[in-house]
Amino acid sequence: MIAHAPILPILIPFVAALLQLARENQRWQRGVGLLASVLLLSATLWLLWLADDGVLRVYALGGWPAPFGIVLVVDRLAAAMSVLVASLALPALLYATAGFDARGRHFQPLFQLQLMGLLGAFLTGDLFNLFVFFEVMLLASYALLAHAGGLARTRAGIAYVVLNLLGSSVFLIALGLLYGALGTLNLADLAQRLALDGHDRALARLACALLIAVFALKAGLLPLSFWLPAAYGAAGAPVAALFAVMTKVGIVAILRLQAVALAPAMPDLLAGWLTTLALATVAFAALGVLAATRLRALAAWLILLSAGTLLLTPAPASEAASAAAIYYSLHSTLAGAALFLIAGVVGTAEDAEDTEDAGEPCRRADAPVDGLVRARWIGPAFLIVAATLAGLPPFSGFIAKLMLLSALRETPAGAAIWLGILAAGFLTMIVLTREGCRLFLKNRAPAERPPAPIAWQKTTATVLLAAAGPLLALLAPPLSAYAERAARQLHAPGAYVAGVLGAPTPGTRPENRQ
Amino acid sequence: MEILLAVAVAVLTTCGVFLVLRARTFPVLLGLTLLSYAVNLFLFASGRLRIDAPPLIGAGAIFADPLPQALVLTAIVIGFGMSAYLAMLALRALAASGSDRVDVRPEP
């Protein structure tokens, strides 16, 4: 059983999706989906606990050893990201069962397939397999983005699909170049061959640069980030909440490629330009945050802001920066998703009916909001999420930023990074204060209709995600220690290569082999 | 042979990029299809070009690299599904708004 643990996070959503497709009955689909998400969370937590012994768990699919077959590799970073996906999926799915999933077909199986793609992308140790899981994730996300219709969603969907198809083409070209130059697509084997002589260095370098460009497109680095606010802002609340983790797939891929393959062989590939562009992304996103007129659009820009902040970490390739990146992605994903769910609840109340208005043009910022539900919890939940996102002291945002800033202080661009992140945090605080005033204080207009009650699923899901800010702050000592151990493991490329290429067949554990 | 393949990839890529930049859904769809053809040819060539060689080790003295062929097969299947979905989405947008532009925002 333990030997097969690495495949569980991929199998559980896949089997759940098949079961859901077998019977198109809403209660059955919801039941299976929620059960699968709980199972997934327990499986990933188990994996997290297993991975903490520092042994690289390599799962050779079909029993084919590493350079020839496809392997899944579980280290601390992959396990932590799997837990993040699972702990985001459960509230998002719970929120969707309040009625969003019924406004179109196949929401539930698509949701599970998207989870499968996300988890596979974090766990795989093979670049072509990474491409396949990217496509699984993207195909499901295309359909989820267009779920429940609306012209704005369809339009945002077209731009998103076209851009990602172009990205996939570039990804394949990069893979072709890599295979042509090095004769392998296994990440560990690739790292080993890159470090040796006897291949076309220019070609391999070009291929790696193209790969980084594709990952940067997924992550939302500045010249490639214009799609992100439009797509995330148009998606329905639970879908957007799940999308919050999609940019992290690109960022983790860059971190891993940099640590395992690039840092030993061509350490200067990311130097100079990545940090500059990431800072530009932070500035761009901060301006977008300032200009956003709806809470949902604001949340989308904040996701871009956190992606820009995270993209500052791969270039220095230091353990401290990577540890900060891991803790920051936990914090920013959960808090960003919480803001999307709050925007969903508020947006529903704004329209006084359950239409999740996507086709409607921007509301003016000073327009009074009629019939906003005065649920007791929504104000405090917004306050906590806003404080977390702005990086105010008692919550996880403060700790994440502290880790990040202290890790990046000694780097060449340290002063600019400090200035950029602190200014962006300040702008975020101003804008979230403005939004809070607009939505929860200024709104005195009497409701024409009695406000619709908020479904308990929405309440539970939103409160759970909003509680992540204080919870991550309370758990900061063990979590940051874990992140440091994960970063140390990530920046030991020799151990990664040795662990994967000596991959045993399933059934024998890595440590038994020696 | 190499020159022929290189020219084919170049022409397909050029046409694909040109069509994608037209920013109307039908040319964009055609452009993406052409680009995926170019990519498939390119992937195919990454295993080096050999004529009259089976992709089986041990079947003869010379053999072609089977891995790029498997990669191309996967890429074709995925690209086909994506194009079909994009076509559906484009039709839906056309029906809803009467415009086939990719980039226009709805009038406020």
Side-chain angles (χ1 to χ4, degrees), chain A residues 216-485:
Chain A
L217 169 71
K218 312 287 183 217
L221 190 67
L222 182 60
L224 305 171
S225 64
F226 299 105
W227 58 275
L228 196 148
Y232 284 35
V239 176
L242 184 64
F243 281 11
V245 78
M246 277 216 301
T247 55
K248 275 72 186 178
V249 176
I251 293 160
V252 168
I254 294 181
L255 267 178
R256 192 177 287 282
L257 188 69
Q258 161 77 352
V260 174
L262 300 183
M266 42 177 95
D268 54 334
L269 186 67
L270 298 184
W273 61 273
L274 186 65
T275 302
T276 314
L277 285 181
L279 266 180
T281 313
V282 168
F284 174 61
L287 291 178
V289 164
L290 205 55
T293 50
R294 294 188 63 105
L295 195 53
R296 180 201 311 241
L298 174 65
W301 283 103
L302 282 172
I303 291 289
L304 185 59
L305 182 61
S306 72
T309 311
L310 275 172
L311 282 166
L312 292 166
T313 55
S318 69
E319 281 178 20
S322 298
I326 293 166
Y327 187 80
Y328 192 91
S329 23
L330 298 181
H331 139 73
S332 68
T333 308
L334 293 175
L339 193 61
F340 272 120
L341 292 192
I342 289 177
V345 172
V346 172
T348 315
E350 271 180 343
D351 306 329
E353 57 183 354
D354 198 14
T355 57
E356 305 263 350
D357 56 331
E360 185 197 334
C362 289
R363 179 190 293 276
R364 277 181 40 233
D366 55 353
V369 186
D370 291 336
L372 176 62
V373 178
R374 294 311 180 89
R376 286 242 174 85
W377 57 271
I378 187 111
F382 178 82
L383 185 68
I384 289 176
V385 171
T388 308
L389 280 167
L392 294 182
F395 301 121
S396 60
F398 176 72
I399 298 163
K401 265 186 196 166
L402 194 66
M403 282 176 80
L404 201 73
L405 289 177
S406 53
L408 296 174
R409 190 164 53 96
E410 300 295 335
T411 59
I417 289 172
W418 271 59
L419 197 67
I421 291 187
L422 291 179
F426 182 62
L427 284 180
T428 310
M429 194 167 67
I430 291 178
V431 171
L432 285 169
T433 313
R434 185 193 74 193
E435 282 297 304
C437 291
R438 175 176 80 85
L439 289 170
F440 302 108
L441 297 177
K442 195 177 163 192
N443 169 33
R444 296 288 179 212
E448 290 168 17
R449 274 172 284 180
I454 301 176
W456 69 267
Q457 293 99 327
K458 290 189 178 182
T459 310
T460 316
T462 316
V463 169
L464 270 180
L465 271 183
L471 208 62
L472 283 180
L474 277 178
L475 293 176
L479 282 177
S480 59
Y482 189 92
E484 272 158 24
R485 291 198 296 276

Side-chain angles (χ1 to χ4, degrees), chain B residues 15-84:
Chain B
C15 298
V17 170
F18 175 76
L19 284 173
V20 166
L21 292 179
R22 296 292 300 272
R24 290 188 174 262
T25 47
F26 187 64
V28 164
L29 188 58
L30 278 187
L32 285 172
T33 313
L34 288 183
L35 267 182
S36 73
Y37 290 162
V39 167
N40 290 341
L41 278 180
F42 182 82
L43 269 185
F44 194 70
S46 70
R48 304 296 183 269
L49 298 172
R50 291 205 177 86
I51 299 170
D52 283 344
L56 292 169
I57 296 173
I62 55 165
F63 55 88
D65 191 342
L67 190 78
Q69 308 196 4
L71 301 188
V72 168
L73 212 60
T74 316
I76 289 175
V77 174
I78 290 176
F80 202 66
M82 298 284 183
S83 305

Side-chain angles (χ1 to χ4, degrees), chain A residues 135 142 146 155 176 179-180, chain B residues 46 48 65 67 82 85 92 97:
Chain A
E135 297 304 306
Y142 299 158
R155 278 192 182 286
Y179 189 75
Chain B
S46 70
R48 304 296 183 269
D65 191 342
L67 190 78
M82 298 284 183
Y85 182 73
R92 202 157 119 180
S97 69

